[in-house]
mmCIF file with all atom_site columns, all heavy atoms in Angstrom:
data_model
loop_
_atom_site.group_PDB
_atom_site.id
_atom_site.type_symbol
_atom_site.label_atom_id
_atom_site.label_alt_id
_atom_site.label_comp_id
_atom_site.label_asym_id
_atom_site.label_entity_id
_atom_site.label_seq_id
_atom_site.pdbx_PDB_ins_code
_atom_site.Cartn_x
_atom_site.Cartn_y
_atom_site.Cartn_z
_atom_site.occupancy
_atom_site.B_iso_or_equiv
_atom_site.pdbx_formal_charge
_atom_site.auth_seq_id
_atom_site.auth_comp_id
_atom_site.auth_asym_id
_atom_site.auth_atom_id
_atom_site.pdbx_PDB_model_num
ATOM 1   N N   . ARG A 1 38 ? 111.206 -47.211 -9.439  1.00 98.00 ? 51 ARG A N   1
ATOM 2   C CA  . ARG A 1 38 ? 112.275 -47.794 -8.623  1.00 98.00 ? 51 ARG A CA  1
ATOM 3   C C   . ARG A 1 38 ? 113.005 -48.891 -9.393  1.00 98.00 ? 51 ARG A C   1
ATOM 4   O O   . ARG A 1 38 ? 112.501 -49.441 -10.378 1.00 98.00 ? 51 ARG A O   1
ATOM 5   C CB  . ARG A 1 38 ? 111.691 -48.410 -7.356  1.00 98.00 ? 51 ARG A CB  1
ATOM 6   C CG  . ARG A 1 38 ? 110.814 -49.629 -7.626  1.00 98.00 ? 51 ARG A CG  1
ATOM 7   C CD  . ARG A 1 38 ? 110.368 -50.264 -6.341  1.00 98.00 ? 51 ARG A CD  1
ATOM 8   N NE  . ARG A 1 38 ? 109.569 -51.465 -6.542  1.00 98.00 ? 51 ARG A NE  1
ATOM 9   C CZ  . ARG A 1 38 ? 109.038 -52.173 -5.562  1.00 98.00 ? 51 ARG A CZ  1
ATOM 10  N NH1 . ARG A 1 38 ? 109.213 -51.809 -4.318  1.00 98.00 ? 51 ARG A NH1 1
ATOM 11  N NH2 . ARG A 1 38 ? 108.328 -53.260 -5.822  1.00 98.00 ? 51 ARG A NH2 1
ATOM 12  N N   . GLU A 1 39 ? 114.203 -49.189 -8.898  1.00 98.00 ? 52 GLU A N   1
ATOM 13  C CA  . GLU A 1 39 ? 114.973 -50.315 -9.436  1.00 98.00 ? 52 GLU A CA  1
ATOM 14  C C   . GLU A 1 39 ? 115.466 -51.201 -8.283  1.00 98.00 ? 52 GLU A C   1
ATOM 15  O O   . GLU A 1 39 ? 115.772 -50.683 -7.217  1.00 98.00 ? 52 GLU A O   1
ATOM 16  C CB  . GLU A 1 39 ? 116.156 -49.797 -10.228 1.00 98.00 ? 52 GLU A CB  1
ATOM 17  C CG  . GLU A 1 39 ? 115.695 -49.153 -11.507 1.00 98.00 ? 52 GLU A CG  1
ATOM 18  C CD  . GLU A 1 39 ? 116.701 -49.274 -12.645 1.00 98.00 ? 52 GLU A CD  1
ATOM 19  O OE1 . GLU A 1 39 ? 117.878 -49.572 -12.374 1.00 98.00 ? 52 GLU A OE1 1
ATOM 20  O OE2 . GLU A 1 39 ? 116.306 -49.050 -13.772 1.00 98.00 ? 52 GLU A OE2 1
ATOM 21  N N   . PRO A 1 40 ? 115.605 -52.486 -8.513  1.00 97.00 ? 53 PRO A N   1
ATOM 22  C CA  . PRO A 1 40 ? 115.081 -53.147 -9.695  1.00 97.00 ? 53 PRO A CA  1
ATOM 23  C C   . PRO A 1 40 ? 113.561 -53.042 -9.695  1.00 97.00 ? 53 PRO A C   1
ATOM 24  O O   . PRO A 1 40 ? 112.964 -52.980 -8.631  1.00 97.00 ? 53 PRO A O   1
ATOM 25  C CB  . PRO A 1 40 ? 115.566 -54.596 -9.554  1.00 97.00 ? 53 PRO A CB  1
ATOM 26  C CG  . PRO A 1 40 ? 115.795 -54.773 -8.078  1.00 97.00 ? 53 PRO A CG  1
ATOM 27  C CD  . PRO A 1 40 ? 116.230 -53.437 -7.567  1.00 97.00 ? 53 PRO A CD  1
ATOM 28  N N   . GLY A 1 41 ? 112.970 -53.033 -10.890 1.00 98.00 ? 54 GLY A N   1
ATOM 29  C CA  . GLY A 1 41 ? 111.524 -52.944 -10.997 1.00 98.00 ? 54 GLY A CA  1
ATOM 30  C C   . GLY A 1 41 ? 111.098 -51.878 -11.973 1.00 98.00 ? 54 GLY A C   1
ATOM 31  O O   . GLY A 1 41 ? 111.812 -51.571 -12.932 1.00 98.00 ? 54 GLY A O   1
ATOM 32  N N   . GLY A 1 42 ? 109.934 -51.290 -11.716 1.00 98.00 ? 55 GLY A N   1
ATOM 33  C CA  . GLY A 1 42 ? 109.449 -50.174 -12.517 1.00 98.00 ? 55 GLY A CA  1
ATOM 34  C C   . GLY A 1 42 ? 108.676 -50.566 -13.770 1.00 98.00 ? 55 GLY A C   1
ATOM 35  O O   . GLY A 1 42 ? 108.048 -49.712 -14.399 1.00 98.00 ? 55 GLY A O   1
ATOM 36  N N   . THR A 1 43 ? 108.728 -51.839 -14.145 1.00 98.00 ? 56 THR A N   1
ATOM 37  C CA  . THR A 1 43 ? 107.924 -52.380 -15.253 1.00 98.00 ? 56 THR A CA  1
ATOM 38  C C   . THR A 1 43 ? 107.430 -53.762 -14.783 1.00 98.00 ? 56 THR A C   1
ATOM 39  O O   . THR A 1 43 ? 107.997 -54.314 -13.830 1.00 98.00 ? 56 THR A O   1
ATOM 40  C CB  . THR A 1 43 ? 108.762 -52.598 -16.524 1.00 98.00 ? 56 THR A CB  1
ATOM 41  O OG1 . THR A 1 43 ? 109.744 -53.621 -16.254 1.00 98.00 ? 56 THR A OG1 1
ATOM 42  C CG2 . THR A 1 43 ? 109.474 -51.338 -16.998 1.00 98.00 ? 56 THR A CG2 1
ATOM 43  N N   . PRO A 1 44 ? 106.451 -54.346 -15.450 1.00 98.00 ? 57 PRO A N   1
ATOM 44  C CA  . PRO A 1 44 ? 106.030 -55.703 -15.049 1.00 98.00 ? 57 PRO A CA  1
ATOM 45  C C   . PRO A 1 44 ? 107.190 -56.702 -15.097 1.00 98.00 ? 57 PRO A C   1
ATOM 46  O O   . PRO A 1 44 ? 107.407 -57.464 -14.157 1.00 98.00 ? 57 PRO A O   1
ATOM 47  C CB  . PRO A 1 44 ? 104.931 -56.041 -16.071 1.00 98.00 ? 57 PRO A CB  1
ATOM 48  C CG  . PRO A 1 44 ? 104.350 -54.699 -16.432 1.00 98.00 ? 57 PRO A CG  1
ATOM 49  C CD  . PRO A 1 44 ? 105.520 -53.758 -16.446 1.00 98.00 ? 57 PRO A CD  1
ATOM 50  N N   . LEU A 1 45 ? 107.985 -56.651 -16.173 1.00 98.00 ? 58 LEU A N   1
ATOM 51  C CA  . LEU A 1 45 ? 109.148 -57.539 -16.250 1.00 98.00 ? 58 LEU A CA  1
ATOM 52  C C   . LEU A 1 45 ? 110.128 -57.237 -15.121 1.00 98.00 ? 58 LEU A C   1
ATOM 53  O O   . LEU A 1 45 ? 110.648 -58.127 -14.442 1.00 98.00 ? 58 LEU A O   1
ATOM 54  C CB  . LEU A 1 45 ? 109.851 -57.384 -17.612 1.00 98.00 ? 58 LEU A CB  1
ATOM 55  C CG  . LEU A 1 45 ? 111.152 -58.169 -17.776 1.00 98.00 ? 58 LEU A CG  1
ATOM 56  C CD1 . LEU A 1 45 ? 110.913 -59.671 -17.727 1.00 98.00 ? 58 LEU A CD1 1
ATOM 57  C CD2 . LEU A 1 45 ? 111.859 -57.788 -19.077 1.00 98.00 ? 58 LEU A CD2 1
ATOM 58  N N   . GLY A 1 46 ? 110.392 -55.955 -14.916 1.00 98.00 ? 59 GLY A N   1
ATOM 59  C CA  . GLY A 1 46 ? 111.343 -55.534 -13.882 1.00 98.00 ? 59 GLY A CA  1
ATOM 60  C C   . GLY A 1 46 ? 110.900 -55.947 -12.481 1.00 98.00 ? 59 GLY A C   1
ATOM 61  O O   . GLY A 1 46 ? 111.727 -56.323 -11.652 1.00 98.00 ? 59 GLY A O   1
ATOM 62  N N   . GLU A 1 47 ? 109.599 -55.883 -12.230 1.00 98.00 ? 60 GLU A N   1
ATOM 63  C CA  . GLU A 1 47 ? 109.106 -56.282 -10.903 1.00 98.00 ? 60 GLU A CA  1
ATOM 64  C C   . GLU A 1 47 ? 109.262 -57.799 -10.701 1.00 98.00 ? 60 GLU A C   1
ATOM 65  O O   . GLU A 1 47 ? 109.548 -58.249 -9.601  1.00 98.00 ? 60 GLU A O   1
ATOM 66  C CB  . GLU A 1 47 ? 107.667 -55.815 -10.672 1.00 98.00 ? 60 GLU A CB  1
ATOM 67  C CG  . GLU A 1 47 ? 107.529 -54.282 -10.557 1.00 98.00 ? 60 GLU A CG  1
ATOM 68  C CD  . GLU A 1 47 ? 108.207 -53.666 -9.314  1.00 98.00 ? 60 GLU A CD  1
ATOM 69  O OE1 . GLU A 1 47 ? 108.270 -54.324 -8.248  1.00 98.00 ? 60 GLU A OE1 1
ATOM 70  O OE2 . GLU A 1 47 ? 108.706 -52.523 -9.416  1.00 98.00 ? 60 GLU A OE2 1
ATOM 71  N N   . ASP A 1 48 ? 109.081 -58.564 -11.779 1.00 98.00 ? 61 ASP A N   1
ATOM 72  C CA  . ASP A 1 48 ? 109.339 -60.015 -11.663 1.00 98.00 ? 61 ASP A CA  1
ATOM 73  C C   . ASP A 1 48 ? 110.822 -60.265 -11.392 1.00 98.00 ? 61 ASP A C   1
ATOM 74  O O   . ASP A 1 48 ? 111.193 -61.124 -10.582 1.00 98.00 ? 61 ASP A O   1
ATOM 75  C CB  . ASP A 1 48 ? 108.916 -60.745 -12.944 1.00 98.00 ? 61 ASP A CB  1
ATOM 76  C CG  . ASP A 1 48 ? 107.399 -60.980 -12.991 1.00 98.00 ? 61 ASP A CG  1
ATOM 77  O OD1 . ASP A 1 48 ? 106.715 -60.681 -11.987 1.00 98.00 ? 61 ASP A OD1 1
ATOM 78  O OD2 . ASP A 1 48 ? 106.906 -61.456 -14.036 1.00 98.00 ? 61 ASP A OD2 1
ATOM 79  N N   . ILE A 1 49 ? 111.686 -59.503 -12.070 1.00 98.00 ? 62 ILE A N   1
ATOM 80  C CA  . ILE A 1 49 ? 113.133 -59.644 -11.831 1.00 98.00 ? 62 ILE A CA  1
ATOM 81  C C   . ILE A 1 49 ? 113.462 -59.218 -10.395 1.00 98.00 ? 62 ILE A C   1
ATOM 82  O O   . ILE A 1 49 ? 114.277 -59.848 -9.717  1.00 98.00 ? 62 ILE A O   1
ATOM 83  C CB  . ILE A 1 49 ? 113.938 -58.829 -12.866 1.00 98.00 ? 62 ILE A CB  1
ATOM 84  C CG1 . ILE A 1 49 ? 113.741 -59.411 -14.264 1.00 98.00 ? 62 ILE A CG1 1
ATOM 85  C CG2 . ILE A 1 49 ? 115.427 -58.801 -12.500 1.00 98.00 ? 62 ILE A CG2 1
ATOM 86  C CD1 . ILE A 1 49 ? 114.353 -58.560 -15.389 1.00 98.00 ? 62 ILE A CD1 1
ATOM 87  N N   . ARG A 1 50 ? 112.799 -58.158 -9.928  1.00 97.00 ? 63 ARG A N   1
ATOM 88  C CA  . ARG A 1 50 ? 113.012 -57.708 -8.539  1.00 97.00 ? 63 ARG A CA  1
ATOM 89  C C   . ARG A 1 50 ? 112.739 -58.854 -7.559  1.00 97.00 ? 63 ARG A C   1
ATOM 90  O O   . ARG A 1 50 ? 113.479 -59.074 -6.605  1.00 97.00 ? 63 ARG A O   1
ATOM 91  C CB  . ARG A 1 50 ? 112.100 -56.513 -8.228  1.00 97.00 ? 63 ARG A CB  1
ATOM 92  C CG  . ARG A 1 50 ? 112.256 -55.985 -6.805  1.00 97.00 ? 63 ARG A CG  1
ATOM 93  C CD  . ARG A 1 50 ? 111.257 -54.866 -6.497  1.00 97.00 ? 63 ARG A CD  1
ATOM 94  N NE  . ARG A 1 50 ? 111.489 -54.331 -5.177  1.00 97.00 ? 63 ARG A NE  1
ATOM 95  C CZ  . ARG A 1 50 ? 112.293 -53.303 -4.901  1.00 97.00 ? 63 ARG A CZ  1
ATOM 96  N NH1 . ARG A 1 50 ? 112.907 -52.680 -5.877  1.00 97.00 ? 63 ARG A NH1 1
ATOM 97  N NH2 . ARG A 1 50 ? 112.477 -52.895 -3.663  1.00 97.00 ? 63 ARG A NH2 1
ATOM 98  N N   . HIS A 1 51 ? 111.639 -59.547 -7.825  1.00 97.00 ? 64 HIS A N   1
ATOM 99  C CA  . HIS A 1 51 ? 111.287 -60.664 -6.943  1.00 97.00 ? 64 HIS A CA  1
ATOM 100 C C   . HIS A 1 51 ? 112.411 -61.709 -6.920  1.00 97.00 ? 64 HIS A C   1
ATOM 101 O O   . HIS A 1 51 ? 112.816 -62.184 -5.855  1.00 97.00 ? 64 HIS A O   1
ATOM 102 C CB  . HIS A 1 51 ? 109.964 -61.292 -7.392  1.00 97.00 ? 64 HIS A CB  1
ATOM 103 C CG  . HIS A 1 51 ? 109.574 -62.467 -6.559  1.00 97.00 ? 64 HIS A CG  1
ATOM 104 N ND1 . HIS A 1 51 ? 109.127 -62.327 -5.250  1.00 97.00 ? 64 HIS A ND1 1
ATOM 105 C CD2 . HIS A 1 51 ? 109.589 -63.796 -6.813  1.00 97.00 ? 64 HIS A CD2 1
ATOM 106 C CE1 . HIS A 1 51 ? 108.896 -63.525 -4.753  1.00 97.00 ? 64 HIS A CE1 1
ATOM 107 N NE2 . HIS A 1 51 ? 109.161 -64.428 -5.670  1.00 97.00 ? 64 HIS A NE2 1
ATOM 108 N N   . LEU A 1 52 ? 112.948 -62.014 -8.108  1.00 96.00 ? 65 LEU A N   1
ATOM 109 C CA  . LEU A 1 52 ? 114.056 -62.993 -8.173  1.00 96.00 ? 65 LEU A CA  1
ATOM 110 C C   . LEU A 1 52 ? 115.273 -62.476 -7.386  1.00 96.00 ? 65 LEU A C   1
ATOM 111 O O   . LEU A 1 52 ? 115.928 -63.240 -6.678  1.00 96.00 ? 65 LEU A O   1
ATOM 112 C CB  . LEU A 1 52 ? 114.484 -63.207 -9.626  1.00 96.00 ? 65 LEU A CB  1
ATOM 113 C CG  . LEU A 1 52 ? 113.510 -63.932 -10.533 1.00 96.00 ? 65 LEU A CG  1
ATOM 114 C CD1 . LEU A 1 52 ? 114.034 -63.937 -11.966 1.00 96.00 ? 65 LEU A CD1 1
ATOM 115 C CD2 . LEU A 1 52 ? 113.312 -65.363 -10.046 1.00 96.00 ? 65 LEU A CD2 1
ATOM 116 N N   . LEU A 1 53 ? 115.562 -61.197 -7.547  1.00 96.00 ? 66 LEU A N   1
ATOM 117 C CA  . LEU A 1 53 ? 116.772 -60.634 -6.934  1.00 96.00 ? 66 LEU A CA  1
ATOM 118 C C   . LEU A 1 53 ? 116.654 -60.491 -5.424  1.00 96.00 ? 66 LEU A C   1
ATOM 119 O O   . LEU A 1 53 ? 117.644 -60.603 -4.704  1.00 96.00 ? 66 LEU A O   1
ATOM 120 C CB  . LEU A 1 53 ? 117.068 -59.245 -7.539  1.00 96.00 ? 66 LEU A CB  1
ATOM 121 C CG  . LEU A 1 53 ? 117.738 -59.273 -8.901  1.00 96.00 ? 66 LEU A CG  1
ATOM 122 C CD1 . LEU A 1 53 ? 117.617 -57.919 -9.598  1.00 96.00 ? 66 LEU A CD1 1
ATOM 123 C CD2 . LEU A 1 53 ? 119.216 -59.643 -8.737  1.00 96.00 ? 66 LEU A CD2 1
ATOM 124 N N   . ILE A 1 54 ? 115.457 -60.201 -4.942  1.00 94.00 ? 67 ILE A N   1
ATOM 125 C CA  . ILE A 1 54 ? 115.342 -59.781 -3.544  1.00 94.00 ? 67 ILE A CA  1
ATOM 126 C C   . ILE A 1 54 ? 114.638 -60.811 -2.673  1.00 94.00 ? 67 ILE A C   1
ATOM 127 O O   . ILE A 1 54 ? 115.037 -61.027 -1.527  1.00 94.00 ? 67 ILE A O   1
ATOM 128 C CB  . ILE A 1 54 ? 114.652 -58.395 -3.464  1.00 94.00 ? 67 ILE A CB  1
ATOM 129 C CG1 . ILE A 1 54 ? 115.521 -57.366 -4.185  1.00 94.00 ? 67 ILE A CG1 1
ATOM 130 C CG2 . ILE A 1 54 ? 114.418 -57.974 -2.022  1.00 94.00 ? 67 ILE A CG2 1
ATOM 131 C CD1 . ILE A 1 54 ? 115.021 -55.956 -4.161  1.00 94.00 ? 67 ILE A CD1 1
ATOM 132 N N   . HIS A 1 55 ? 113.602 -61.456 -3.207  1.00 91.00 ? 68 HIS A N   1
ATOM 133 C CA  . HIS A 1 55 ? 112.764 -62.280 -2.324  1.00 91.00 ? 68 HIS A CA  1
ATOM 134 C C   . HIS A 1 55 ? 112.753 -63.774 -2.643  1.00 91.00 ? 68 HIS A C   1
ATOM 135 O O   . HIS A 1 55 ? 112.516 -64.572 -1.737  1.00 91.00 ? 68 HIS A O   1
ATOM 136 C CB  . HIS A 1 55 ? 111.315 -61.766 -2.352  1.00 91.00 ? 68 HIS A CB  1
ATOM 137 C CG  . HIS A 1 55 ? 111.184 -60.327 -1.959  1.00 91.00 ? 68 HIS A CG  1
ATOM 138 N ND1 . HIS A 1 55 ? 111.462 -59.870 -0.682  1.00 91.00 ? 68 HIS A ND1 1
ATOM 139 C CD2 . HIS A 1 55 ? 110.823 -59.227 -2.669  1.00 91.00 ? 68 HIS A CD2 1
ATOM 140 C CE1 . HIS A 1 55 ? 111.279 -58.565 -0.624  1.00 91.00 ? 68 HIS A CE1 1
ATOM 141 N NE2 . HIS A 1 55 ? 110.889 -58.144 -1.825  1.00 91.00 ? 68 HIS A NE2 1
ATOM 142 N N   . ALA A 1 56 ? 112.973 -64.147 -3.900  1.00 92.00 ? 69 ALA A N   1
ATOM 143 C CA  . ALA A 1 56 ? 112.718 -65.542 -4.278  1.00 92.00 ? 69 ALA A CA  1
ATOM 144 C C   . ALA A 1 56 ? 113.706 -66.507 -3.632  1.00 92.00 ? 69 ALA A C   1
ATOM 145 O O   . ALA A 1 56 ? 114.904 -66.203 -3.502  1.00 92.00 ? 69 ALA A O   1
ATOM 146 C CB  . ALA A 1 56 ? 112.784 -65.694 -5.804  1.00 92.00 ? 69 ALA A CB  1
ATOM 147 N N   . ALA A 1 57 ? 113.215 -67.673 -3.234  1.00 92.00 ? 70 ALA A N   1
ATOM 148 C CA  . ALA A 1 57 ? 114.094 -68.704 -2.677  1.00 92.00 ? 70 ALA A CA  1
ATOM 149 C C   . ALA A 1 57 ? 115.144 -69.108 -3.709  1.00 92.00 ? 70 ALA A C   1
ATOM 150 O O   . ALA A 1 57 ? 116.292 -69.406 -3.364  1.00 92.00 ? 70 ALA A O   1
ATOM 151 C CB  . ALA A 1 57 ? 113.263 -69.925 -2.261  1.00 92.00 ? 70 ALA A CB  1
ATOM 152 N N   . SER A 1 58 ? 114.760 -69.074 -4.994  1.00 92.00 ? 71 SER A N   1
ATOM 153 C CA  . SER A 1 58 ? 115.721 -69.463 -6.041  1.00 92.00 ? 71 SER A CA  1
ATOM 154 C C   . SER A 1 58 ? 116.881 -68.483 -6.142  1.00 92.00 ? 71 SER A C   1
ATOM 155 O O   . SER A 1 58 ? 117.901 -68.783 -6.757  1.00 92.00 ? 71 SER A O   1
ATOM 156 C CB  . SER A 1 58 ? 115.016 -69.578 -7.394  1.00 92.00 ? 71 SER A CB  1
ATOM 157 O OG  . SER A 1 58 ? 114.464 -68.326 -7.748  1.00 92.00 ? 71 SER A OG  1
ATOM 158 N N   . GLY A 1 59 ? 116.749 -67.296 -5.538  1.00 92.00 ? 72 GLY A N   1
ATOM 159 C CA  . GLY A 1 59 ? 117.837 -66.313 -5.583  1.00 92.00 ? 72 GLY A CA  1
ATOM 160 C C   . GLY A 1 59 ? 118.942 -66.597 -4.582  1.00 92.00 ? 72 GLY A C   1
ATOM 161 O O   . GLY A 1 59 ? 120.047 -66.065 -4.701  1.00 92.00 ? 72 GLY A O   1
#
Side-chain angles (χ1 to χ4, degrees):
R51 67 175 182 182
E52 290 210 344
T56 65
L58 175 65
E60 292 294 328
D61 280 354
I62 294 172
R63 180 185 184 91
H64 178 72
L65 291 174
L66 281 163
I67 298 182
H68 303 294
S71 61

